[in-house]
Amino acid sequence: ATNRTFTMIKPDAVENGHTGAILEKINAAGFRIVAMKKTQMTQRDAETFYGVHSERPFFGELVAFMTRGPIIAAILEKDNAVEDFRTLIGATNPAEAAEGTIRQLYATSIGENAVHGSDSDENAAIEGAFHFSGREMF
Ligand code: CMP
C-alpha cells in the first residue's frame, strides 16, 4: 500500500545550499511531494518535536541547531515510504552512512546530519501533522 513519511532538510543543509540537490534525489527515488514548505522552528517547536530525546545529553545542542535557521519540511508518499526514505538518507552518523546516501553526501556530523526521516508510520503521521494542516496536503 502507498504510504507516507515526513522529512526535514535541516538548517545545515539549507545554509550550505544543498536544498535543490536533496530534493532532486528525493524526486529521483520516486517519492511524491504531498506537502512542502520553508519554515523555521521556534525553541518550543523543537522541544516538542524532539520531546522523546529530552533526557539525552545532546538535547540542548539539538534544539539550538534545529532552531538556528530555516528548514524545508515535507510529507512524502511512496510504497514503503518510511523504510525506503531511511535507506535513501543513510545512517544518523554520516561517517557510517552508505555511499551515495543523502547524509553521506551532504551531512557534516552526527548532530548536523542534513535531513530528518520518520522512524515509523505512526511517527510519520504525528510529525506531518505537527507541521502541516489538512489544507496543505495534496
Ligand atoms: P534524527 O535521527 O533526525 O533525530 C534525532 C537527532 O538527534 C538526530 O537526527 C541527530 O541530529 C541528533 N543526534 C543524534 N545523536 C546525536 C549525538 N550523539 N550528538 C548530537 N546530536 C545527535
Side-chain angles (χ1 to χ4, degrees):
T2 297
N3 69 352
R4 293 178 176 184
T5 192
F6 172 77
T7 186
M8 295 181 285
I9 302 177
K10 297 184 180 184
D12 61 323
V14 175
E15 284 161 13
N16 292 331
H18 298 313
T19 298
I22 291 170
L23 291 175
E24 183 57 40
K25 284 193 77 75
I26 291 170
N27 184 54
F31 291 88
R32 190 179 76 77
I33 295 168
V34 174
M36 184 165 68
K37 65 183 162 194
K38 191 170 195 177
T39 185
Q40 186 162 357
M41 295 176 96
T42 65
Q43 172 108 4
R44 215 176 133 208
D45 287 337
E47 286 172 356
T48 304
F49 188 91
Y50 287 111
V52 296
H53 296 305
S54 64
E55 302 304 317
R56 303 280 196 101
F58 57 80
F59 184 66
E61 188 187 323
L62 175 61
V63 170
F65 164 56
M66 287 303 297
T67 58
R68 82 172 183 216
I71 61 166
I72 308 295
I75 297 171
L76 305 173
E77 192 170 74
K78 183 186 179 298
D79 286 352
N80 204 31
V82 166
E83 194 185 333
D84 285 1
F85 193 72
R86 288 175 75 84
T87 301
L88 179 67
I89 67 180
T92 303
N93 184 350
E96 293 164 8
E99 198 67 30
T101 58
I102 291 174
R103 283 173 170 157
Q104 186 262 324
L105 291 167
Y106 303 116
T108 334
S109 66
I110 190 167
E112 303 201 2
N113 62 1
V115 281
H116 170 83
S118 303
D119 64 5
S120 66
D121 289 351
E122 186 191 5
N123 283 335
I126 292 168
E127 293 168 2
F130 183 88
H131 282 276
F132 295 99
S133 74
R135 282 177 295 133
E136 297 174 296
M137 301 177 195
F138 301 92

